[in-house]
Amino acid sequence: MPDIPWSTPTPAAPGAEVYVMASRFETATLTGAVRFFLKAPGIIRQMRRAPGAHGVALRARVLHRTFLTLSAWEDRDALYRFARSEPHRSSSRAASAYMRESVFTYWTVPATELPLGWVEAERRLAEQEAGR
């Protein structure tokens, strides 16, 4: 599956700092990967409408059962409000039944560094995983 490229729902103010989250999800089975994949477009649509969302991208490797997300937010509270809202909330709870592993990492960047790239996100995820 091709990546869902970076999109900017609401541009950040040029002088702002943005809160970034990268995640890596690995499902236990290929069936779980297909389930995750089928939910992804709805979650991406939700993110694109979420207040305080400044960017979102998805990298799906269904046959490898691995998914990466990358998003930028006005602040941590905007990210948490999104995570607690539907359909993300119920989808993430359901996904826990077929998830093998999840890794999350967070950092801030100046808004002028948007859009973000996968190289930095993957580096930070690898560091986070190594530090566990």
Side-chain angles (χ1 to χ4, degrees):
M1 172 198 176
D3 295 347
I4 295 175
W6 185 267
S7 65
T8 305
T10 306
E17 282 278 307
V18 297
Y19 190 73
V20 177
M21 183 198 77
S23 62
R24 186 176 61 75
F25 302 98
E26 183 180 342
T27 63
T29 65
L30 188 54
T31 300
V34 170
R35 287 181 183 159
F36 191 98
F37 173 75
L38 292 174
K39 295 284 187 182
I43 303 301
I44 294 294
R45 277 192 302 276
Q46 178 191 4
M47 290 176 86
R48 288 177 177 158
R49 293 188 311 259
H54 295 312
V56 57
L58 172 72
R59 179 166 277 181
R61 301 298 182 252
V62 177
L63 296 179
H64 293 278
R65 304 182 335 266
T66 304
F67 301 84
L68 301 173
T69 71
L70 182 57
S71 58
W73 300 87
E74 178 178 87
D75 54 28
R76 187 176 70 164
D77 290 338
L79 169 61
Y80 288 177
R81 280 190 305 275
F82 159 77
R84 290 188 305 264
S85 64
E86 294 299 335
H88 183 273
R89 182 179 176 175
S90 57
S91 292
S92 62
R93 286 184 178 169
S96 66
Y98 51 82
M99 203 57 60
R100 179 172 179 252
E101 180 178 66
S102 302
V103 179
F104 301 89
T105 189
Y106 309 89
W107 70 99
T108 59
V109 298
T112 55
E113 291 186 21
L114 299 179
L116 299 168
W118 288 111
V119 172
E120 179 67 8
E122 290 186 70
R123 182 188 70 76
R124 287 176 179 267
L125 285 164
E127 285 178 359
Q128 181 69 25
E129 191 170 23
R132 287 202 237 182

